[in-house]
Amino acid sequence: MAGNDAATSRRDRTHYLYIAVIVAVLAGIAVGFLAPEFGTALKPLGEGFVALIKMMISPIIFCTIVLGVGSVRKAAKVGKVGGLALAYFMVMSVIALVIGLVVGNVLHPGTGMQITEALRGSGAEQAGEGSESTTEFLLGIIPNTLVSALTEGEVLQTLLVALLAGFALQAMGDAGQPILRGIEHIQRLVFKILAMVMWAAPIGAFGAIAAVVGATGVDALKSLAVIMIGFYTTCVLFIFGVLGTALWLFARVNIFSLLRYLGREFLLILSTSSSEAALPRLIAKMEHLGVSRPVVGITVPTGYSFNLDGTMIYLTMASLFIASAMGDPLSLAEQIGLLLFMMIASKGAAGVSGAGLATLAGGLQSHRPELLDGVGLIVGIDRFMSEARALTNFAGNAVATVMIGSWTGEVDRAQMKQVFAGDSPFDEQSFADAEAPQPDAPESERVPATTS
């Protein structure tokens, strides 16, 4: 009983952390409005916190995937999960593009806007940051060394190395079990460090919000309110209409229950405008929810590069906005061609604020260079749209993980029911509940678990 009381006390203390994040966001907005220059100067606080989170992402992804793949005896199971995930990502990306096209062509955002000389250089600058050919993207998945994937922060490189390590441990059989146990302990260490880092979230949220409000001001928001409201509305409709419907039809899971379970992660993303800030917690929470380790380890990291529903909607509406604002609307064929190109070029744009803007500029430079200057019109509100992109991408990956787990029979329904009912709370203190069920595979295929 005393142990349970201590655990409850630890969990209760984490509530103060997220209350502090909310207070910090409100304080940041106030500082940004009342003292814009001072608020802008606080930007490094937000950047520093996001950098701390990104520091942890590669080791967490590596440990999660190696444990997930290495603990399953049959390699074909991993291939089945990966194939289903990629097929699902492609279908949802196309649906997001179509929805963005329909809404953009109905709203006609950007009509009547005027580009100023001060903004004309912004597009070229962003295009330079986002220019990367398909060949460069594919070759960039291969790291320089086996270890550099963990030090350079490249998600896809880490994914490749982790898959190779996991399959190698599969081939080693019983001889690989000591290595798996060692990686499991390393994963617990990494999650513990991450739990410590999370206490800096209020400081990071305060600096990030104060900086963007101070730099943007009210006037820019008023003049661009149409596309912002339209984009946010479209994202909400996509999450609850498309994702929610699919989740219920194919997995019999209520979208509201899932999003409520992930409420703290959404708050973290809202305050940092980066979905990568919540990636480690999504991995831990999906396993705690009852989705098997292989499904989580493959679906979540892959989805962060290939399942970018919010980014797809953003690229669609932003392209139509710029074309209308420049007085040179895109034909339907041009819209489809440009957006299919951006769908490929946007891989990896989910994690960092501003990456979607670079992809937009790069796509316009390749297909309609005369529209490139129009990117400057959207720079001022990109930070606010980045939040909606990140929130939608995150929701899409959470839904994808549950659905892939359901299709492959890798979800513990009893555990999920307990979690949604509040009977099995997530261990906020350590980011990992050692006593939670681990439905990694059928009993005959599992590696014996270790106990702490």
Side-chain angles (χ1 to χ4, degrees), residues 77-89 298 404:
K77 177 180 175 182
V78 178
K80 179 182 178 181
V81 172
L84 274 175
L86 289 176
Y88 171 84
F89 297 159
I298 294 169
I404 299 300

Side-chain angles (χ1 to χ4, degrees), residues 187-278:
Q187 184 190 47
R188 290 178 180 176
L189 171 64
V190 172
F191 275 130
K192 190 65 177 180
I193 295 173
L194 183 61
M196 297 164 61
V197 169
M198 286 302 300
W199 285 97
I203 298 174
F206 173 72
I209 296 296
V212 70
V213 174
T216 305
V218 181
D219 293 337
L221 301 183
K222 289 180 178 178
S223 62
L224 298 170
V226 173
I227 186 173
M228 284 182 61
I229 294 173
F231 178 59
Y232 269 79
T233 302
T234 305
C235 288
V236 170
L237 292 176
F238 179 83
I239 291 174
F240 293 104
V242 177
L243 295 179
T245 301
L247 186 63
W248 178 253
L249 289 178
F250 296 107
R252 283 295 184 262
V253 175
N254 189 303
I255 186 71
F256 295 99
S257 298
L258 180 62
L259 298 186
R260 183 170 60 250
Y261 173 60
L262 298 171
R264 293 187 174 186
E265 288 66 44
F266 282 109
L267 175 60
L268 182 61
I269 293 171
L270 186 65
S271 61
T272 61
S273 194
S274 172
S275 58
E276 275 192 357

Side-chain angles (χ1 to χ4, degrees), residues 76-254:
K77 177 180 175 182
V78 178
K80 179 182 178 181
V81 172
L84 274 175
L86 289 176
Y88 171 84
F89 297 159
M90 184 62 66
V91 170
M92 295 309 295
S93 293
V94 172
I95 292 175
L97 284 175
V98 171
I99 290 175
L101 277 176
V102 172
V103 174
N105 281 287
V106 170
L107 287 181
H108 296 293
T111 303
M113 294 285 293
Q114 296 294 327
I115 183 74
T116 65
E117 292 298 326
L119 296 176
R120 289 188 181 276
S122 301
E125 180 181 348
Q126 294 293 335
E129 297 175 4
S131 59
E132 182 183 41
S133 67
T134 303
T135 303
E136 290 173 335
F137 166 74
L138 293 175
L139 290 177
I141 298 175
I142 304 173
N144 294 325
T145 68
L146 199 65
V147 180
S148 66
L150 301 177
T151 60
E152 294 179 0
E154 294 290 339
V155 173
L156 289 179
Q157 291 183 3
T158 305
L159 177 64
L160 174 63
V161 172
L163 285 173
L164 292 174
F167 284 125
L169 286 169
Q170 275 186 351
M172 291 173 65
D174 292 338
Q177 291 186 27
I179 301 175
L180 282 173
R181 286 194 291 270
I183 293 176
E184 183 177 351
H185 288 302
I186 293 174
Q187 184 190 47
R188 290 178 180 176
L189 171 64
V190 172
F191 275 130
K192 190 65 177 180
I193 295 173
L194 183 61
M196 297 164 61
V197 169
M198 286 302 300
W199 285 97
I203 298 174
F206 173 72
I209 296 296
V212 70
V213 174
T216 305
V218 181
D219 293 337
L221 301 183
K222 289 180 178 178
S223 62
L224 298 170
V226 173
I227 186 173
M228 284 182 61
I229 294 173
F231 178 59
Y232 269 79
T233 302
T234 305
C235 288
V236 170
L237 292 176
F238 179 83
I239 291 174
F240 293 104
V242 177
L243 295 179
T245 301
L247 186 63
W248 178 253
L249 289 178
F250 296 107
R252 283 295 184 262
V253 175
N254 189 303

Side-chain angles (χ1 to χ4, degrees), residues 310-384:
T311 304
M312 293 298 99
I313 297 172
Y314 165 81
L315 292 175
T316 306
M317 297 188 67
S319 299
L320 298 178
F321 168 81
I322 291 171
S324 296
M326 299 291 288
D328 192 5
L330 297 167
S331 66
L332 182 60
E334 288 176 326
Q335 292 176 25
I336 294 174
L338 172 62
L339 295 169
L340 288 177
F341 169 82
M342 288 183 177
M343 184 170 69
I344 298 173
S346 65
K347 305 314 175 190
V352 183
S353 177
L357 187 64
T359 302
L360 172 66
L364 289 176
Q365 185 182 51
S366 300
H367 285 68
R368 290 288 298 273
E370 68 274 15
L371 297 179
L372 187 58
D373 285 337
V375 175
L377 286 171
I378 211 169
V379 169
I381 60 165
D382 179 73
R383 172 58 167 75
F384 292 96

